[in-house]
Amino acid sequence: MPSASFASSHPTALSSSRGRCPSSCPLCHVTSSPDAPAEPILLEVTKAAPIYELVTNNQTQREATMSSLWCSGSGDVIEDWCRCDSSAFGADGLPTCAPLPHPILRLSTVHEPSSTLVVLEWGHSEPPIGVQIVDYLLRQEKVTDRMDHSKVETGEWTVLSFVDDIISGAKSPCAMPAQVPDRLSSTISLIIRCLDPDTIYMFTLWGVDNTGRRSRSSDVTVKTPCPVVDDVKAQEIADKIYNLFNGYTSGKEQQTAYNTLLDLGSPSLHRVLYHYNQHYESFGEFTWRCEDELGPRKAGLILSQLGDLSSWCNGLLREPKISLQRSSLKYLACRYSEIKPYGLNWSELSRDLKKTCEEQTLSVLYNDYGDKDY
């Protein structure tokens, strides 16, 4: 025993350091050097066993090692779980001796965010002893204002359970699993849909164990791209509007032009305006022609949509060329089923979900701005 110069056969057990012995203690070995004062390990009665048995008992050493490895030294390993000491409980009454893994949330490195969709990933992990992860919670928040780097004001938010809401099929239209753990991979990948374009979102992830404890949170903040536009279609509509406005415009043609422009939405209307002025401005600028042909009231209803976008998106929509790209995402479309989280085998989850989920493909649209060589 370091710094203690006695041996005893009295029933006692070795514990952690509780401080220094007083100089008057005859059982302590005091070093002569003032630069290296003695700091003996004090002994405390915790179990009726002679010291020599504790030193030579392999079972005791094994138990102490297992407790240190899996239960932070504050509990005993019972089969594959930790029985925590009475001092190892949090203010919420939940045991804390078995440390929870900390899942790290990240954006997919393969699938970039679209204007209405992001793909999130994290790795599932749990130790073989001490902790059983039974669920993950994902909170989605719309960030309405970022006043400074230290404060984020949020608007709408929702919390989804990976087990109860996503793989059970209860809320699959807007949150769908793209990848789940199997024997070869521990990655969990989620597709989050139904997002607003040109909007900041914060996603926060927690792991949940079988006692109800939550892990430390991990978050990702992402801004969705500007709304997607079909530039070829916008050019066609600009040509159509020119033909309707050209020469005498009947009441029917006026109504057709009005209905066409009103149904476009702000992003496409910006591109129609751009193409119209690029090709037909010599016959009158677009906003002036709308007011002249449709009247101030109807023209005002149409043109008011132009202010619905941010200055950033307005700038991109004035690019000479906007191409439309498509990509495919595979996901699991799950029928509603009741999942029992406490019987969940994460390494076989991919196999188990084949009973209630069907692999499907989702088409995702993106815009590329400016002239690019492909």
Side-chain angles (χ1 to χ4, degrees), residues 32-101:
S32 58
S33 171
D35 297 329
E39 188 177 355
I41 296 177
L42 303 186
L43 300 179
E44 166 183 48
V45 176
T46 59
K47 183 179 180 182
I51 290 180
Y52 71 85
E53 286 188 13
L54 293 176
V55 173
T56 59
N57 191 322
N58 288 336
Q59 178 63 22
T60 302
Q61 292 178 355
R62 180 179 179 277
E63 290 176 357
T65 301
M66 294 289 281
S67 174
S68 177
L69 282 175
W70 306 115
C71 309
S72 304
S74 301
D76 299 321
V77 174
I78 307 297
E79 295 181 350
D80 62 351
W81 59 280
C82 287
R83 181 177 63 193
C84 296
D85 297 341
S86 59
S87 59
F89 283 79
D92 53 6
L94 297 177
T96 60
C97 65
L100 269 173

Side-chain angles (χ1 to χ4, degrees), residues 231-247 249 257 260-261 264 267-294 302-303 306 317-320:
D231 205 34
V232 173
K233 184 176 180 181
Q235 172 72 71
E236 293 173 353
I237 293 175
D239 295 339
K240 175 182 177 180
I241 296 300
Y242 168 75
N243 291 327
L244 289 172
F245 286 172
N246 188 27
T249 306
T260 301
L261 294 174
L264 283 177
S268 296
L269 183 60
H270 272 273
R271 289 307 288 176
V272 169
L273 181 151
Y274 174 84
H275 287 300
Y276 188 97
N277 287 340
Q278 283 288 309
H279 296 90
Y280 309 116
E281 190 172 18
S282 59
F283 299 97
E285 195 271 336
F286 178 78
T287 57
W288 178 83
R289 287 304 305 271
C290 285
E291 292 174 351
D292 184 55
E293 297 289 345
L294 304 178
I302 294 169
L303 300 175
L306 294 173
L317 289 171
R318 288 194 291 269
E319 287 284 342

Side-chain angles (χ1 to χ4, degrees), residues 18-19 43 68-69 95 138 148 188 251-252 260 279 309 314 319:
R18 303 292 186 184
L43 300 179
S68 177
L69 282 175
L138 182 70
D148 53 49
I188 297 175
K252 181 179 178 180
T260 301
H279 296 90
L309 295 179
N314 281 337
E319 287 284 342

Side-chain angles (χ1 to χ4, degrees), residues 92-364:
D92 53 6
L94 297 177
T96 60
C97 65
L100 269 173
H102 179 213
I104 304 299
L105 186 65
R106 61 184 182 271
L107 285 174
S108 170
T109 57
V110 178
H111 304 288
E112 63 179 282
S114 77
S115 59
T116 59
L117 173 153
V118 297
V119 181
L120 304 173
E121 296 178 346
W122 69 90
H124 168 77
S125 68
E126 60 182 354
I129 294 174
V131 172
Q132 181 185 359
I133 300 298
V134 298
D135 200 1
Y136 290 96
L137 297 180
L138 182 70
R139 182 173 67 195
Q140 172 186 316
E141 299 176 86
K142 181 185 290 186
V143 180
T144 56
D145 193 17
R146 186 179 290 269
M147 302 301 294
D148 53 49
H149 293 293
S150 63
K151 181 181 179 183
V152 176
E153 296 183 4
T154 59
E156 304 170 15
W157 62 274
T158 185
V159 177
L160 296 175
S161 159
F162 178 74
V163 173
D164 293 336
D165 297 328
I166 299 174
I167 62 174
S168 70
K171 295 186 178 179
S172 57
C174 290
M176 306 174 297
Q179 181 180 351
V180 294
D182 54 27
R183 292 181 179 271
L184 301 178
S185 172
S186 62
T187 299
I188 297 175
S189 179
L190 285 184
I191 299 172
I192 307 296
R193 301 174 62 192
C194 313
L195 303 180
D196 293 332
D198 192 28
T199 302
I200 300 174
Y201 287 92
M202 177 184 288
F203 298 93
T204 307
L205 178 74
W206 296 270
V208 182
D209 76 354
N210 56 342
T211 69
R213 278 192 306 161
R214 291 189 185 187
S215 68
R216 287 188 294 133
S217 63
S218 175
D219 59 72
V220 166
T221 301
V222 60
K223 184 175 183 179
T224 52
C226 297
V228 172
V229 295
D230 185 339
D231 205 34
V232 173
K233 184 176 180 181
Q235 172 72 71
E236 293 173 353
I237 293 175
D239 295 339
K240 175 182 177 180
I241 296 300
Y242 168 75
N243 291 327
L244 289 172
F245 286 172
N246 188 27
Y248 171 75
T249 306
S250 67
K252 181 179 178 180
E253 290 170 329
Q254 289 179 351
Q255 191 62 38
T256 299
Y258 173 72
N259 292 340
T260 301
L261 294 174
L262 193 63
D263 291 342
L264 283 177
S266 183
S268 296
L269 183 60
H270 272 273
R271 289 307 288 176
V272 169
L273 181 151
Y274 174 84
H275 287 300
Y276 188 97
N277 287 340
Q278 283 288 309
H279 296 90
Y280 309 116
E281 190 172 18
S282 59
F283 299 97
E285 195 271 336
F286 178 78
T287 57
W288 178 83
R289 287 304 305 271
C290 285
E291 292 174 351
D292 184 55
E293 297 289 345
L294 304 178
R297 188 185 68 82
K298 288 185 175 180
L301 291 174
I302 294 169
L303 300 175
S304 64
Q305 299 180 66
L306 294 173
D308 292 344
L309 295 179
S310 66
S311 58
W312 169 251
C313 292
N314 281 337
L316 289 177
L317 289 171
R318 288 194 291 269
E319 287 284 342
K321 182 178 180 182
I322 300 178
S323 58
L324 186 65
Q325 306 294 327
R326 288 179 173 83
S327 68
S328 297
L329 272 176
K330 290 184 177 180
Y331 69 96
L332 296 175
C334 299
R335 302 186 306 273
Y336 179 75
S337 60
E338 187 174 341
I339 305 291
K340 297 180 179 179
Y342 293 94
L344 205 60
N345 184 348
W346 291 95
S347 64
E348 300 289 353
L349 186 58
S350 178
R351 182 201 65 186
D352 294 342
L353 288 183
K354 289 181 180 179
K355 303 171 185 176
T356 57
C357 302
E358 178 184 355
E359 187 175 87
Q360 296 185 6
T361 301
L362 178 69
S363 180
V364 185

